[in-house]
């Protein structure tokens, strides 16, 4: 089954999960810079977090591009896109 054929609410739920996990992974190197929890390179963790945020953003855009969706689902997708775009801009500016 293709991603475009799946239910919109399921896709938005997956977008949310990928976005939250990506934001959490991007926060780990940020906290490590200030508190020095461990002495490992945190660049790969940050890269994976940004990648997950991009994946969540792409799923939300996929939902928004569907033709026959309700207005409630469309508003949720727009909010998800806005939140993930702001988070990506923030983490690009911090890195």
């Amino acid at each position: 089954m293709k991603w475009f054929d799946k239910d919109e609410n399921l896709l938005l739920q997956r977008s949310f999960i990928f976005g939250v996990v990506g934001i959490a992974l991007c926060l780990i190197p940020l906290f490590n810079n200030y508190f020095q929890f461990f002495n490992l390179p945190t660049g790969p963790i940050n890269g994976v977090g940004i990648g997950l945020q991009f994946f969540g953003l792409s799923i939300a855009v996929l939902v928004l591009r569907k033709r026959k969706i309700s207005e409630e689902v469309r508003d949720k997708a727009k909010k998800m896109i806005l939140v993930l775009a702001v988070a990506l801009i923030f983490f690009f500016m911090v890195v």
Side-chain angles (χ1 to χ4, degrees), residues 39-83:
N39 237 357
L40 298 173
T42 54
I45 295 172
N46 202 14
V48 170
I50 288 175
L52 286 173
Q53 288 179 42
F54 269 123
F55 191 65
L57 183 66
S58 67
I59 294 172
V61 169
L62 177 82
V63 170
L64 195 60
R65 290 191 60 194
K66 281 189 161 187
R67 296 217 181 256
K68 297 179 182 176
I69 59 173
S70 66
E71 199 61 36
E72 178 184 335
V73 173
R74 186 176 300 273
D75 289 340
K76 285 182 183 179
K78 286 180 184 178
K79 288 177 187 176
M80 184 68 63
I81 290 170
L82 179 69
V83 168

Side-chain angles (χ1 to χ4, degrees), residues 53 84-94:
Q53 288 179 42
L84 288 175
V86 169
L88 278 169
I89 290 171
F90 172 75
F91 287 118
F92 279 143
M93 293 178 82
V94 169

